[in-house]
Amino acid sequence: MRKMAAAPLYCVCRQPYDVSRFMIECDICKDWFHGSCVQVEEHQAVDIDVYHCPNCHVLHGPSLMKKRKNWHRHDYTEPDDRTRPVQAGTSVFVRELQARSFPSADEILVRMQGHQVTPKYLEKHSFLSPIMVPQLDGLGLKLPPPSFSIEDVEHYVGGDKIIDVIDVARQADSKIKLSEFVKYYYNPNRPKVLNVISLEFSDTKMAELVEVPDVARKMSWVENYWPDDSFFPKPFVQKYCLMGVEGSYTDFHIDFGGTSVWYHVLWGEKIFYLIKPTPGNLALYEAWSSSPNQSEMFFGDKVDKCYKCIVRQGTTLLIPTGWIHAVLTSQDCMAFGGNFLHNLNIGMQLRCYEMERRLKTPDLFKFPYFEAICWYVAKNLLETLKELREDNFQPPVYLMEGVKALTCALKSWLKREVEYEVPDHIKPNNLIKELTKEIRHQELSGGGSCKPMKSQGSGGVWSVTRSTAERGTRVHRMARRLRDHGASRTPSNLDILELHTREVLRRLEVAPFHEDTTLCSRVNGKFKKTSASSTATAGRGLDNDLRLVLCNGLMLDWNGHGIAEPCVTPPPRHVPYSQDELRPLKHLNKNCRARLSQQIQENKNFMDSQGNSSEAWSDNPQNTEISLLPPFHPSKRPASNPPPISNQATKGKRPKKGMATAKQRLGKILRINSHGRFFV
């Protein structure tokens, strides 16, 4: 049997080649050595002209270093004849940049307090301009104290962690151990300018010290839509630590995938150069990015206005989708930041992603699994449109524009011959077909018969997505908003019953009965009792005067008809139960029967006096503010009540409101036990 050839061994450690470790070749013996074994970092190797390994060093002396001939070119060995332009990042470039004047960012900045920066505010006023927040209060942003040092980062992250650093003078990326960067940072004579801007620490102990701003967490696609059981690994882009020394510079760029970004300067100072993402500026940016002499042209000179924004210690800056920006570190600085995709600027996010593809941006510098998360979002937004249509509400304009752009992008991705990121449980063609149908329905209706979802004051609509599994909870929450704020929408009888049930359970006193003589029992303290005095002062409105009866598991309306049965598919509304079904009522004691009859009669009299109950609800002309909580992917949501038993006629169809959802909606409130016997 032929023996396999042994792998060649290298370095003083005599180990085989490892593609993940940096190596340098000796110019004398031609052997290769791991940089970590011979104390040569990757960013230092470019400065060596002739390298001598430890063995050859004894005979031939130390390695020979390159001689600097200029201070304005990435290759500092070029002759300094001043015939070549200054390149970005060099010491000459930084000095010239600091001496230039720019329009103040006060023209474009929105200055706000932390508690004002909410999803509702951005949904109402849009998120198109940078926002500056001078203090942490109200943002929901948790950070270490300003005394937190570079050494503390090493303690929490680990000194052996390999990080990416940028050699600013060459605008080149290399890898280094965090412990080596710490040594470099505290060296009083730093040989060069190194900048750390991509240390994502979500998987380290330092993640416990940082919580992102509430607005970024609540709006984030990754936090709200990415399923825990996804085949693709979850993108971690929300927690970055940026450590830069004075003179660090990052050239103009758009954050990957068109993500919005938040920055907070813990200590030190950074200067941002901001450019609006107009169609003209984006076209110029794409041409500039693909130019072979990009580093020799300052992009701020190619546009109408480039704004200068100084971010000092303790200040937070939020930059919207698509904004072109460069960053200068004017003094040693530590900052925290994060990126997030959201629903407000879907079209711009997709445009930035397509630009990255045209520019052939390496995957390392793109949003991880951008296309996969777009499929997850599309699936959730489809449910949003269906539910808004069923509730006779008009979707927000930004949502419809985003869905249209997303649908077009999904279609184009499916036409590519290359492999695309479609989650296994999503049927792409069917999803696109359903989205197109919903878009067409909105275009044909034109919102004429639908009520717009308005925002008043500081409230608004944000992330109205809900899955079918959470329909009961969603309808209950919407009904509660209708009761609290007054609605211009005419509610159904089931809406009225649901709202009144909550009020009845809060006020009525439930009398105890014995199991052998009655079929009703106390609610075991799950519902609070209210004194007679508080009941008297509560006032009597339409919803307070309705009476519901729940006996032996049967919910009866004001006519004594069955509304819902906890264990089976509920019958059509206002169809009376048979005598056999109501026979258990005869076993009630005298007081229970009398109270039951009295409540049914009161309901009949009240409904006769009011006429159509819907008219009383539609008298209030006040527009309704409906604010729904942020969505979560079904895998992240708590399990809802199981759907009712389906028969052949309803199998595979979406349940109609008031039918299969009755148990989910009322059962959610009453906590009905299928074997429990209550009397209200």
Side-chain angles (χ1 to χ4, degrees):
M1 184 176 180
R2 180 180 300 177
K3 295 182 179 180
M4 296 183 62
L9 304 179
Y10 302 97
C11 190
V12 294
C13 63
R14 308 318 295 167
Q15 294 292 324
Y17 174 70
D18 184 353
V19 67
S20 64
R21 299 179 64 184
F22 164 71
M23 300 187 74
I24 185 171
E25 183 187 30
C26 176
D27 289 294
I28 302 297
C29 65
K30 303 301 181 182
D31 195 5
W32 287 85
F33 297 84
H34 296 117
S36 57
C37 293
V38 293
Q39 287 74 51
V40 177
E41 297 294 339
E42 184 176 355
H43 67 89
Q44 296 172 338
V46 297
D47 300 321
I48 300 175
D49 190 19
V50 179
Y51 174 67
H52 296 165
C53 70
N55 296 329
C56 298
H57 173 84
V58 177
L59 298 176
H60 301 277
S63 302
L64 303 179
M65 308 301 291
K66 293 179 180 177
K67 294 181 179 180
R68 177 176 292 278
K69 297 181 180 180
N70 69 75
W71 295 91
H72 69 290
R73 303 290 296 175
H74 290 169
D75 182 2
Y76 57 80
T77 62
E78 293 180 2
D80 186 12
D81 56 4
R82 289 290 176 177
T83 58
R84 305 291 301 275
V86 175
Q87 289 184 297
T90 59
S91 57
V92 174
F93 171 87
V94 171
R95 286 198 304 270
E96 293 179 352
L97 179 63
Q98 291 175 320
R100 295 184 58 171
S101 60
F102 295 88
S104 172
D106 291 338
E107 300 179 24
I108 56 169
L109 280 180
V110 179
R111 298 183 183 273
M112 302 175 64
Q113 298 300 315
H115 69 274
Q116 298 175 317
V117 186
T118 64
K120 292 180 182 179
Y121 175 89
L122 298 181
E123 185 269 341
K124 180 179 179 181
H125 299 277
S126 75
F127 185 27
L128 300 177
S129 298
I131 297 174
M132 178 172 284
V133 183
Q135 296 178 341
L136 277 177
D137 298 342
L139 267 178
L141 177 60
K142 174 186 173 183
L143 292 169
S147 59
F148 197 73
S149 66
I150 303 293
E151 289 179 326
D152 292 326
V153 174
E154 180 185 13
H155 170 73
Y156 283 98
V157 175
D160 291 334
K161 185 176 180 64
I162 303 298
I163 63 174
D164 291 297
V165 297
I166 296 177
D167 184 343
V168 175
R170 296 190 304 113
Q171 290 291 288
D173 181 79
S174 60
K175 295 185 180 300
I176 186 177
K177 283 186 177 182
L178 179 56
S179 58
E180 294 298 324
F181 177 80
V182 173
K183 292 178 182 177
Y184 154 82
Y185 181 86
Y186 288 107
N187 184 355
N189 299 312
R190 298 166 182 160
K192 57 179 62 178
V193 178
L194 298 181
N195 193 18
V196 176
I197 61 173
S198 57
L199 173 55
E200 217 290 336
F201 57 90
S202 293
D203 59 344
T204 70
K205 294 180 180 179
M206 196 164 73
E208 301 174 0
L209 305 180
V210 177
E211 292 181 5
V212 304
D214 286 342
V215 66
R217 176 177 52 82
K218 292 178 180 179
M219 294 170 60
S220 169
W221 276 4
V222 174
E223 296 301 317
N224 295 316
Y225 294 122
W226 193 273
D228 293 333
D229 58 352
S230 174
F231 169 79
F232 304 102
K234 181 179 179 179
F236 289 111
V237 295
Q238 277 274 44
K239 294 182 178 181
Y240 286 98
C241 180
L242 299 86
M243 299 174 287
V245 301
E246 181 179 354
S248 296
Y249 175 77
T250 304
D251 212 354
F252 286 96
H253 63 282
I254 298 175
D255 280 278
F256 50 32
T259 52
S260 300
V261 59
W262 63 271
Y263 287 101
H264 179 89
V265 176
L266 191 67
W267 44 263
E269 182 180 273
K270 283 185 178 290
I271 300 175
F272 287 77
Y273 300 90
L274 303 169
I275 297 174
K276 291 182 179 180
T278 63
N281 288 345
L282 290 174
L284 290 172
Y285 172 79
E286 185 170 358
W288 172 79
S289 298
S290 58
S291 173
N293 58 341
Q294 169 188 359
S295 65
E296 298 175 351
M297 300 181 292
F298 184 70
F299 182 69
D301 294 335
K302 294 184 169 296
V303 297
D304 293 336
K305 280 192 176 183
C306 176
Y307 300 93
K308 181 179 180 179
C309 176
I310 302 176
V311 183
R312 296 183 172 86
Q313 177 176 330
T315 304
T316 304
L317 179 68
L318 291 93
I319 302 178
T321 303
W323 276 72
I324 309 164
H325 58 283
V327 186
L328 174 67
T329 303
S330 53
Q331 54 184 269
D332 290 357
C333 176
M334 178 185 291
F336 289 90
N339 300 74
F340 58 101
L341 297 165
H342 53 82
N343 288 340
L344 294 181
N345 300 326
I346 296 178
M348 180 62 75
Q349 290 170 174
L350 293 168
R351 180 170 183 175
C352 293
Y353 173 73
E354 293 300 332
M355 185 190 304
E356 291 173 351
R357 293 186 61 246
R358 290 192 297 270
L359 293 173
K360 295 180 171 53
T361 304
D363 291 340
L364 179 64
F365 303 109
K366 293 197 295 188
F367 190 95
Y369 303 103
F370 179 88
E371 294 185 12
I373 197 170
C374 284
W375 287 104
Y376 290 131
V377 171
K379 184 175 183 295
N380 279 268
L381 293 186
L382 174 62
E383 291 299 323
T384 297
L385 296 181
K386 287 182 178 180
E387 290 163 1
L388 290 177
R389 174 166 54 84
E390 291 173 1
D391 295 332
N392 202 29
F393 278 112
Q394 181 181 349
V397 175
Y398 76 83
L399 193 63
M400 283 306 304
E401 292 178 351
V403 171
K404 290 178 183 178
L406 184 57
T407 304
C408 292
L410 298 180
K411 289 179 182 178
S412 66
W413 296 345
L414 286 182
K415 294 178 182 178
R416 297 202 309 255
E417 295 181 359
V418 298
E419 211 173 299
Y420 44 81
E421 304 165 352
V422 181
D424 291 338
H425 69 281
I426 290 180
K427 299 178 181 179
N429 292 311
N430 183 65
L431 178 57
I432 292 175
K433 180 180 178 182
E434 291 295 317
L435 282 171
T436 305
K437 185 189 301 183
E438 290 299 324
I439 293 172
R440 188 181 301 114
H441 171 81
Q442 291 295 333
E443 291 176 343
L444 292 177
S445 65
S449 60
C450 298
K451 300 173 181 58
M453 305 185 74
K454 296 186 178 181
S455 302
Q456 297 180 356
S458 62
V461 180
W462 172 249
S463 300
V464 293
T465 305
R466 283 293 183 274
S467 70
T468 304
E470 213 180 18
R471 289 179 59 84
T473 304
R474 180 187 64 82
V475 175
H476 160 60
R477 185 179 294 117
M478 181 174 291
R480 186 177 66 208
R481 299 297 194 275
L482 291 173
R483 180 193 67 184
D484 293 341
H485 299 284
S488 59
R489 178 170 77 89
T490 301
S492 65
N493 285 335
L494 193 56
D495 290 325
I496 301 173
L497 293 176
E498 178 179 329
L499 300 184
H500 176 65
T501 300
R502 295 176 58 85
E503 188 67 20
V504 169
L505 291 174
R506 186 175 66 84
R507 295 197 321 215
L508 289 183
E509 179 175 344
V510 183
F513 300 98
H514 296 290
E515 181 68 23
D516 56 340
T517 59
T518 70
L519 299 178
C520 303
S521 62
R522 184 181 295 272
V523 193
N524 296 326
K526 284 184 178 291
F527 303 105
K528 297 180 180 179
K529 299 179 182 179
T530 306
S531 64
S533 60
S534 63
T535 304
T537 59
R540 297 175 60 83
L542 169 63
D543 60 327
N544 292 337
D545 283 300
L546 292 179
R547 291 292 181 268
L548 302 181
V549 179
L550 179 64
C551 192
N552 199 31
L554 302 179
M555 177 66 73
L556 308 180
D557 67 2
W558 47 83
N559 295 313
H561 298 161
I563 294 297
E565 185 176 5
C567 302
V568 297
T569 304
R573 230 177 294 167
H574 305 304
V575 176
Y577 280 89
S578 65
Q579 292 299 320
D580 292 338
E581 291 170 317
L582 295 176
R583 186 172 292 113
L585 300 178
K586 297 179 181 180
H587 296 284
L588 298 174
N589 64 14
K590 183 178 179 180
N591 293 335
C592 186
R593 290 199 304 271
R595 190 174 181 185
L596 172 62
S597 300
Q598 179 184 359
Q599 289 192 13
I600 293 178
Q601 186 61 41
E602 287 179 5
N603 286 335
K604 285 183 178 180
N605 295 340
F606 180 75
M607 293 306 296
D608 291 339
S609 65
Q610 291 292 328
N612 189 346
S613 63
S614 298
E615 294 178 1
W617 278 73
S618 59
D619 288 342
N620 188 355
Q622 180 182 357
N623 290 324
T624 305
E625 175 189 336
I626 302 177
S627 178
L628 304 181
L629 297 178
F632 290 96
H633 189 274
S635 67
K636 297 177 180 288
R637 300 170 181 155
S640 58
N641 291 328
I645 300 174
S646 175
N647 56 30
Q648 193 63 29
T650 62
K651 193 171 185 179
K653 298 181 180 179
R654 293 173 59 85
K656 296 181 180 179
K657 184 184 295 184
M659 297 293 291
T661 59
K663 179 179 75 70
Q664 294 174 327
R665 299 170 67 185
L666 295 177
K668 187 77 174 180
I669 304 170
L670 301 174
R671 303 293 194 275
I672 297 175
N673 186 310
S674 59
H675 300 290
R677 295 154 182 166
F678 303 101
F679 173 76
V680 177

